[in-house]
Amino acid sequence: MLTHKDHFHGSDLEKIEQVYGIRKEEITSYSANVNPLGLSPNLRAHLASHLDVITGYPDREYTRLRQEIARYTDTQADHVLVGNGSTELISHFIQTLSPKKALILGPTYSEYERDIALCGGTSLYYPLREDRDFQIDTEELCAQLHDDLDLLVLCNPNNPTSTAITQKQMRKILDACLQYGIFVMVDETYVEFAPEPQQIFAAPLTTYYTNLIILRGTSKFFACSGLRLGYAITGNLDLLQKINQKKDPWSVNSLAELAGHFMFRDQEYIQKTKALIHEERERLFLELSSWKSLKVYPGCSNFLLAKILQPGMDAQKLFEHCIRQKMMIRNCSTFPFLDESYFRFCIMLPEQNDRLLAAFREILNS
């Protein structure tokens, strides 16, 4: 197990408030990776007009909700499992599989390793290489697979690198894992932000591969962190049954269920989000790529990873400079294989992105 350092995360606004004396309401978080449009006005109005739904229990089987998710993800309703956020479902899956040894694509989100360790398993890392802009080498990854592994964990697009594995590459990985009896868990939290998500998302592959489970949530793309609505997709019906036996009934509340009936059909909000993120991601990447003080990596999500090349400057100094202007970026030195030269920031509204660029210019040679 790798040793992880502590830094402020996107949800640590209360800690920031205590340390820097800045009210959390005044902080613009470029670290949380949440849709900058905020809650859809259409969804807000829908929930407000149906608030009485909380007086009753949700459907114990979540039949309509699972049908909506299946339509949205191009899969089958009986392959869908809903839960109290994707975090709950990731924990239930790992507890059910109980892997003794897992391989994790890194650098990535640390909670995968934590859940594996809590179940008595150990984790190895397959490192994405900086000299390849953190793009995966599928053949090299497949060469690292062997019979002793029980689980392969992929975040796609990956956090914090914003790189993605195509569906074609995923098929090669799944085929190789089948040979060794390895289950594959794919966290697709950020897939809807991708420029061409249909080339990336693996949900349709669950029809053909029983060694695959997809995890998604609504916290980032739909800006609904507090609803705690997540879902898993797998064609392994035995696995689904075992996880269902572990889950508490009604883990998704009535309001979240109602939101799920509506949000996946909210095309106005979905298309507006995609257009905003695509345009601003391209603009920020082109601007920062022209700076000699930074190397910014191509991204497929709503955030970009950058490396500081300016002597005497590091991610913590840049963080301090930005937070004192009430802007919070992510020091990425806590991630495996990254050091104090790396930071991550998410794409926000154009005027907010301009403000962040101005803060960068004040301390970095552009």
Side-chain angles (χ1 to χ4, degrees), residues 49-340:
S49 62
H50 294 82
L51 196 57
D52 285 348
V53 74
I54 65 174
T55 63
Y57 285 98
D59 169 20
R60 190 183 182 106
E61 301 298 324
Y62 298 103
T63 303
R64 182 183 165 194
L65 177 57
R66 290 188 296 106
Q67 289 171 345
E68 289 292 342
I69 292 169
R71 182 198 60 80
Y72 180 67
T73 58
D74 190 24
T75 188
Q76 302 175 42
D78 62 352
H79 289 183
V80 176
L81 176 70
V82 296
N84 190 243
S86 60
T87 304
E88 180 203 32
L89 294 171
I90 288 171
S91 296
H92 278 311
F93 163 68
I94 290 175
Q95 290 167 16
T96 301
L97 188 69
S98 193
K100 290 184 171 54
K101 188 172 288 186
L103 182 64
I104 303 175
L105 191 79
T108 198
Y109 183 57
S110 63
E111 290 301 304
Y112 310 134
E113 182 183 335
R114 175 182 174 273
D115 281 332
I116 292 164
L118 288 173
C119 291
T122 58
S123 298
L124 307 172
Y125 277 86
Y126 168 78
L128 295 169
R129 288 172 47 178
E130 192 275 339
D131 61 357
R132 293 179 181 151
D133 287 347
F134 298 105
Q135 301 288 340
I136 192 171
D137 183 323
T138 309
E139 300 299 327
E140 185 179 87
L141 171 63
C142 290
Q144 303 297 314
L145 303 175
H146 50 79
D147 289 323
D148 290 341
L149 292 173
D150 305 301
L151 175 65
L152 173 65
V153 179
L154 307 171
C155 183
N156 193 39
N158 187 45
N159 176 19
T161 62
S162 199
T163 49
I165 302 168
T166 66
Q167 195 177 107
K168 184 178 179 181
Q169 290 174 312
M170 190 68 74
R171 282 182 176 272
K172 289 183 178 180
I173 294 168
L174 288 164
D175 287 337
C177 286
L178 273 175
Q179 296 178 28
Y180 297 107
I182 301 170
F183 214 100
V184 181
M185 184 184 87
V186 183
D187 183 347
E188 288 190 347
T189 295
Y190 300 103
V191 74
E192 291 135 307
F193 292 111
E196 297 183 74
Q198 69 277 7
Q199 295 185 11
I200 296 172
F201 69 82
L205 300 182
T206 58
T207 302
Y208 310 102
Y209 293 91
T210 57
N211 65 326
L212 171 65
I213 188 168
I214 310 295
L215 284 306
R216 286 197 196 175
T218 57
S219 296
K220 305 301 185 180
F221 188 82
F222 291 99
C224 290
S225 305
L227 276 180
R228 307 310 307 139
L229 173 60
Y231 55 97
I233 307 167
T234 181
N236 191 317
L237 300 184
D238 288 339
L239 174 68
L240 272 181
Q241 183 179 18
K242 289 177 182 177
I243 296 176
N244 263 321
Q245 289 171 350
K246 290 179 179 289
K247 281 177 76 266
D248 293 328
W250 304 299
S251 62
V252 175
N253 66 63
S254 298
L255 202 61
E257 181 192 31
L258 175 68
H261 293 169
F262 182 89
M263 66 170 60
F264 300 114
R265 292 181 178 268
D266 190 357
Q267 283 300 315
E268 179 184 358
Y269 178 82
I270 290 170
Q271 295 308 319
K272 189 175 180 180
T273 296
K274 289 178 180 291
L276 169 67
I277 297 301
H278 178 74
E279 184 175 333
E280 286 299 291
R281 179 174 55 222
E282 291 298 305
R283 181 173 76 91
L284 291 169
F285 176 77
L286 289 174
E287 169 65 25
L288 294 174
S289 293
S290 70
W291 294 16
K292 293 182 180 180
S293 56
L294 288 178
K295 179 177 181 179
V296 60
Y297 302 91
C300 291
S301 188
N302 66 326
F303 53 85
L304 291 171
L305 178 70
K307 182 178 183 180
I308 299 171
L309 305 178
Q310 181 172 309
M313 181 57 58
D314 61 32
Q316 188 56 29
K317 290 178 182 177
L318 185 61
F319 174 90
E320 295 275 348
H321 177 75
C322 291
I323 198 62
R324 296 190 187 285
Q325 298 184 50
K326 301 178 182 178
M327 293 178 285
M328 182 179 177
I329 62 171
R330 180 71 153 87
N331 179 338
C332 287
S333 61
T334 57
F335 289 94
F337 313 115
L338 300 184
D339 58 30
E340 288 281 353

